[in-house]
Amino acid sequence: MKTAFTIWQDRIAPVFDVASRVRCIDFTTPHAEPSELTLPAGDAFDKVGFLAGQGIRRLVCGAISRPVQMAACQAGIEVIGFVAGEIDDVISACRNGSLHNGRHSLNMPGCGCRRRQCCGQGRGRHR
Amino acid sequence: MCPTSPPLTAPAEAILESICDGVFTVDADWRITYFNHAAEQITGMAREDALGQLCSEVFRCSLCEQHCALRETLENGQPIAQREGFIIRADGERVPISISTAVLRDAAGNIIGGAETFRDLSEVEALRNELKGQFRIGDLISRSRSMEELYHLIPAVAASSSSVLIEGETGSGKELLARAIHGSSPRAAEPFVAINCGALPDTLLESELFGYKKGAFTGAEQDKPGRLKLAGRGTLFLDEIGEISPALQVRLLRVLQEHQFEPLGATRAEPLQTRIIAATHRDLTRLIQEGTFRQDLFYRIHVVSLKLPPLRERKEDIPLLAEHFISRFNRLQNRQIRGCRPQTLDLLMAHDWPGNVRELENVIERAFILCRGDWIDPGHLPPALVGSGAAPAAVDIAQRPIRNARQQSERQIILTALQQHRFNRQATARALGIHKTTLYRKMHALGLELPQQDGRSAPQPDSDA
């Protein structure tokens, strides 16, 4: 699955809605080299559309507002939001599956019980 | 305060804990050293979770990454006052705030960190919105909770140029929503061009969309610009997108992929500058499964998807919409009809509205033809709404049982909602789609006692995580 990680100062960017860069990794391809993309400036929905157009199917990010998260879900992107930490630690956690199943310590402060925000196209927000 | 920071004096701490503005301080490593009570309230984060953490990951503000006010203050020593942005709480809610910053120095004058105060602008925003009639964007009007999310989405959707898919039943206002998005967008001054894909045969639809060049076929005596060209830098609204043929779906997909289109008989493609908003009353995912709609086209138009609830799911909007249509027809027809009688409103509320908002508009227009007085009576409504058993004229407008029935019904609805929300009046009013003062007024009129229990202190069963 092609996964994008928002990045700022070598950490997960604090707010997806205004993030400017993502690091992309295709975990289905062994030893795939990560690539970096610049997100469109301004509107958060354009960022979602851009990622969908790049074939991204999973987004790991910091805080993300509910409408934007819904738009990502509708565009077929699974969102693992409210993640914090060094980008390499987060990628490792994603690679070994602990980020996906929620058994990790990479949550943003005050977001200890959060797991996946939504999964797959067309699913509504999770409570 | 954290041990590395100078301790606050007791009076200073008491003041900081009592004010309504959020206050936090950071050390030289951008870690939170103090977080007051208001900061906990506004961010929804407990102090113990915040202390010692990076401020950008606690505060989660739109300004953090590129316009951090505190960073600027620490770099140039100048305080910043009331810079506006938003924070994102753990439940995904955006909270508008204004920020002010200052440098923290020790007794010797050395910089030891920074202080940020922030104010929750939600109330101000709500008041601004109320004054502006935020629940009215373009001709789209609502006060329903089920429409609230849609209203919150519109400004953000309007600001982008992504394709939008609007789903909703016939008559639910899909074109109004498309116009509202266009009207709120930077393209508002450009054309809004609408075409109903289900109303034209395939060949005609193709030439309407793409246009043709002189001599392209027999009878093409001059160039005809298509709707894509006519829309220019504006918005093209493709209504009933689910009705287009597979061949035209392929052509449309190419337009969306390559951002250019070719009029019939043209030798050169023209750039696409138009924003596409598509709408359908059909379930496109089912059409994809049946093989009648292309999946790739679906994903192209489905970047943002908006769903309009049918009128029967937002009945609290009926009085508002009826009032809106009465006001509009008064203006158009130079009439002075004052509104609907309560009994008329009861009948409007009792109807299921299979034709949605359009049906309601038609009912009000019909009533304008029949009504010669100041008020729309039940007798001015179509027989289907009044009930087949009684002739419209036979309905007594002063019939008390109808009013009693309405009061009983209102009483039951309000009581149930109050219980569901543990007598939190704010949450109850929100759930009912009415203002808190309206709820108080209705409770008073219906003789409902205010319970001693304060719902604000009790947890809400339906609150988000």
Side-chain angles (χ1 to χ4, degrees), chain B residues 15 89 163 169 246 252 265 296 301 347 420 451:
Chain B
I15 291 168
R89 293 167 57 119
S163 301
E169 289 181 7
L252 197 56
D296 39 14
I301 59 174
L347 292 169
Q420 279 174 353

Side-chain angles (χ1 to χ4, degrees), chain A residues 7-9 11-21 43-46 48-49 53 57 62-68 70-72 74-76 82-85 108-111 113-114 117 121-122 125 127, chain B residues 31 44-46 49-50 53-54 56-58 60-66 71 86 88-94 149 152-153 155-157 159-162 285 298-300 302-306 462-465:
Chain A
I7 180 168
W8 179 62
Q9 295 185 342
R11 295 179 70 83
I12 292 289
V15 178
F16 171 76
D17 298 37
V18 293
S20 55
R21 283 193 306 141
D43 184 59
F45 290 94
D46 287 343
V48 170
R57 288 292 165 262
I64 179 169
S65 65
R66 205 181 298 142
V68 176
M70 285 166 60
Q74 286 169 344
F82 294 87
V83 171
M108 287 192 126
C111 305
C113 59
R114 290 196 79 85
Q117 302 293 300
Q121 177 270 320
R125 70 178 165 141
R127 284 176 181 272
Chain B
R31 297 206 174 258
M45 187 176 305
D49 287 334
Q53 303 289 340
L54 286 173
S56 60
E57 290 169 4
V58 169
R60 305 192 282 256
C61 177
S62 58
L63 304 172
C64 289
E65 193 170 321
Q66 292 182 30
R71 186 177 297 276
F86 63 85
I88 299 180
R89 293 167 57 119
D91 59 2
E93 190 187 344
R94 272 189 185 202
E149 204 146 75
H152 288 156
L153 271 171
V157 172
S160 86
S161 55
S162 304
T285 50
F298 174 73
Y299 283 121
R300 282 282 165 189
H302 190 251
V303 177
V304 179
S305 175
L306 304 173
D462 63 342
S463 62
D464 284 346

